Amino acid sequence: NVTVAILEDGDPTSYSAGEFSFGIIADVQWADAPDGHNYAKTVTRCYRASLTTLGDAVDWWLRLPEPPLFVAQLGDLIDGVNNEAQLGQTDLALKLALDHLGRLPCPSVNLVGNHELYNFDRRQLAEAWWLQHGDKEYYSFFPAEGWRVVVLDSYQISLIGHSEDDPRRLEAVEILARENPNVSPDGKDGDWLKGMEDAGYQRRFCPFNGGFGREQLDWFRSELKAAAEVGERVLVMSHVIIHPQACGGGTMVWDYEEALKVIRSEEAAGCVAAVLCGHDHRGNYHRDDFGVHHMTFISPLSGGKAYGLMKVEAGCLEIQAPTINDLLPDVEGRPSPARLVSVELKAAAEVGERVLVMSHVIIHPEACGGSTMTWDYEEALNVIRSDEAAGCVAAVLCGHDHSGNYHRDEFGVHHCTFKSPLSGGKAFGLMKVEAGYLEIQAPTINDLLPDVEGRPSPTTINNGSVLGPCESLKLQLSDVDASLVMEEKKISTSTIADQEIVAA
């Protein structure tokens, strides 16, 4: 697991905030159908695989040391192709998706996205047990002391979901007739994006987006005012994106400017910590000038492990995921996923474990030629040497620099950079891990870990194999705090790095 910690600043004395965690997934959009494409035919959608990813997400949440308080399912749980006009599998698709979420010992907070409205109208959603209200799906709840979650409905003003004479639909017809005449009043016909390539944020005026509307925005303002008055921080959830820099500039709610004014108002007093959205399957991240984190999460339709956990603390939101970049893309301004290293080492130290760190790119400059380290190697070394880690790291095993290297730093950590088979030698071996030392065995040690200053000399041993003798060297482990007592367990792992095979 890796994690990205955001919202590191802020005055924790201003808010008496509790701690909690919740799962995150957006735009599962599954269907029992062959892979398809988005509206613009530019992105593949893996419909069946997305349900598998939802199941994997539930399994991952179940394996956590503590279950999340809830799961934020940010809308579009099933795809529009399930509807009666196409596959006719709406009810079955929804049941299979909700069955996965039902395996959790916590509720899911399900938002309404456009694909819910391709499958159900508002009358049907008003009777849906898996929603709070359905017709007007905006509300708030209080997950922990000092925190409020505000759930918004991005399609209160919309061409989809409402009856023909619903005032909210009639308002949408009027807006789109004014802002994008390519759209027909029924929202089905017309070349929505014709001539809109260079229209900037005007591109948002399409039927697959929608608006909050005045009634909901007034309610939103009152919620933030109430939160600010009692010192609460607020997490806002909306299927459709509120900040144009948290998407490609065309998938925001129609009235995003009004929503941002509410968030930035004097009444809100800076209480909003983050806005969590889906809708734009590529995801995005932007921290605005007011310190609000706008997070747009990637869809499982893209094929990655697009799910995770948000841990909420007084001064920090911490996102954990199997692969952060599969959930929240690596864009300018997004923090680097490094903090869990510190969390992991602290946890190891607290229970007396020793740690082997593996990284393809090298962490210590003296374990390479000085130019093949990770960009943030200094921060990584600070984590390894931190008080929380308490000297639990025994060794760092790397590849990347084909010539290999070895360095034992002043903290007793062995930095081993293993040679590549591209060099032509027998660059493979075995590491035996015991309580007081690491033993590397190989046909030829120098072919795996080069003979550099400071590296122990190998000896020839007979390891009992029918292959006959091999070479061995031992890396002695440093003493650590007396509270770290390593059990007398022996493990071994084979080692090989940088094969880089190319077939012509």
Side-chain angles (χ1 to χ4, degrees), residues 71-268:
V71 167
Q73 189 276 109
L74 296 173
D76 285 2
L77 184 59
I78 63 174
D79 195 87
V81 299
N82 287 294
N83 66 22
E84 293 303 317
Q86 299 182 69
L87 296 177
Q89 297 179 354
T90 291
D91 292 338
L92 177 60
L94 179 65
K95 178 183 183 301
L96 293 175
L98 291 177
D99 282 351
H100 273 303
L101 292 172
R103 294 193 285 122
L104 292 163
C106 65
S108 56
V109 176
N110 300 304
L111 273 63
V112 171
N114 48 312
H115 284 263
E116 275 75 29
L117 297 172
Y118 298 150
N119 284 280
F120 304 99
D121 60 32
R122 288 285 180 170
R123 178 186 55 80
Q124 293 169 309
L125 292 182
E127 300 174 356
W129 63 266
W130 45 278
L131 295 174
Q132 292 294 317
H133 307 294
D135 185 45
K136 296 181 179 180
E137 193 63 7
Y138 54 91
Y139 56 94
S140 65
F141 62 95
F142 307 90
E145 181 184 356
W147 285 95
R148 181 183 304 221
V149 174
V150 173
V151 177
L152 298 178
D153 187 334
S154 312
Y155 293 95
Q156 275 298 290
I157 309 302
S158 174
L159 288 184
I160 51 178
H162 299 305
S163 61
E164 292 289 323
D165 59 350
D166 191 300
R168 294 168 294 182
R169 183 185 182 279
L170 296 177
E171 183 177 346
V173 170
E174 180 182 338
I175 290 171
L176 289 180
R178 180 176 69 247
E179 304 293 349
N180 185 356
N182 294 324
V183 179
S184 62
D186 61 10
K188 299 177 182 179
D189 297 325
D191 188 353
W192 301 344
L193 303 179
K194 182 179 180 181
M196 301 287 281
E197 295 83 3
D198 300 319
Y201 298 159
Q202 196 75 4
R203 292 176 292 141
R204 71 187 187 276
F205 290 106
C206 288
F208 52 71
N209 298 324
F212 294 130
R214 178 48 50 198
E215 179 183 326
Q216 183 175 192
L217 288 171
D218 288 344
W219 171 86
F220 186 30
R221 184 182 296 274
S222 68
E223 283 289 310
L224 298 191
K225 182 177 185 289
E229 287 175 348
V230 294
E232 292 171 346
R233 300 305 303 264
V234 176
L235 297 176
V236 176
M237 297 181 183
S238 168
H239 178 69
V240 184
I241 296 142
I242 293 178
H243 200 295
Q245 288 181 260
C247 65
T251 48
M252 304 87 70
V253 290
W254 297 338
D255 45 3
Y256 79 88
E257 293 167 306
E258 290 86 344
L260 288 176
K261 288 178 182 177
V262 171
I263 291 171
R264 299 165 177 176
S265 65
E266 290 186 10
E267 298 98 319

